[in-house]
Amino acid sequence: MRFLSGLLFFLIFISLPGISQNLCTNEDFDSFTTLPNNYAQVCYANGWTSPSGVCALVVGTGSPDYYNTGGTGGCKPPATWWATVSPHSGAGMEGFAAWYSGNYREYISRQLSSPLTVGQVYTVSLWYTNGVSTIHGYGCNNLGIAFSSTPLTQSGGTPIAYVP
């Protein structure tokens, strides 16, 4: 199982207990190909994608956002388009709609650096926040992470039909 899909602004670490091997590279979103300058540029953070397959704003599709303190406009924390929020550490973070009106969702995903082993115990930890927003009053009381041996896909902005 090598792909991770998650549901907000966050950092992820997946490792073996007692071993400092991190299986989620670029977990702080600090490594990038291009600094963000617009909505929905999830793929600018090295290794990160969206199961919808988009890396630009396409209305109605799951289009998560990449933020970096070196970005421009609403991509530059702490004053992003959607909330006042800063990365937990480093300069980068991802933002997504874990739930939005009309059952709309956004997800981020990436391939792990090595496959998970059946029977092995792993630790998953992450940081997430809703930030402070005057634009949207939505929150989420359920956050999930799914592991799959193949990439998950999303049609439009609908929930991914996958049971972890």
Side-chain angles (χ1 to χ4, degrees), residues 83-100:
T84 301
V85 62
S86 293
H88 179 264
S89 63
M93 63 185 177
E94 293 281 355
F96 54 92
W99 179 90
Y100 191 74

Side-chain angles (χ1 to χ4, degrees), residues 6-29:
L7 301 176
L8 317 204
F9 296 101
F10 76 103
L11 304 171
I12 298 178
F13 303 92
I14 300 172
S15 61
L16 298 169
I19 301 173
S20 62
Q21 178 189 12
N22 187 349
L23 301 180
C24 184
T25 58
N26 197 21
E27 73 281 353
D28 58 4
F29 308 101

Side-chain angles (χ1 to χ4, degrees), residues 28-131:
D28 58 4
F29 308 101
D30 281 354
S31 176
F32 55 86
T33 55
T34 304
L35 284 168
N37 61 14
N38 210 333
Y39 301 105
Q41 296 172 331
V42 62
C43 66
Y44 285 14
N46 290 340
W48 290 93
T49 62
S50 171
S52 68
V54 300
C55 190
L57 182 60
V58 179
V59 176
T61 64
S63 51
D65 304 308
Y66 176 49
Y67 301 96
N68 189 293
T69 56
T72 58
C75 293
K76 182 176 181 160
T80 72
W81 284 295
W82 310 112
T84 301
V85 62
S86 293
H88 179 264
S89 63
M93 63 185 177
E94 293 281 355
F96 54 92
W99 179 90
Y100 191 74
S101 178
N103 209 25
Y104 174 84
R105 305 282 199 288
E106 292 179 340
Y107 302 89
I108 62 174
S109 66
R110 74 159 299 114
Q111 187 169 344
L112 299 177
S113 61
S114 62
L116 301 179
T117 303
V118 174
Q120 177 64 51
V121 176
Y122 294 87
T123 299
V124 177
S125 63
L126 56 96
W127 293 93
Y128 72 97
T129 181
N130 280 330

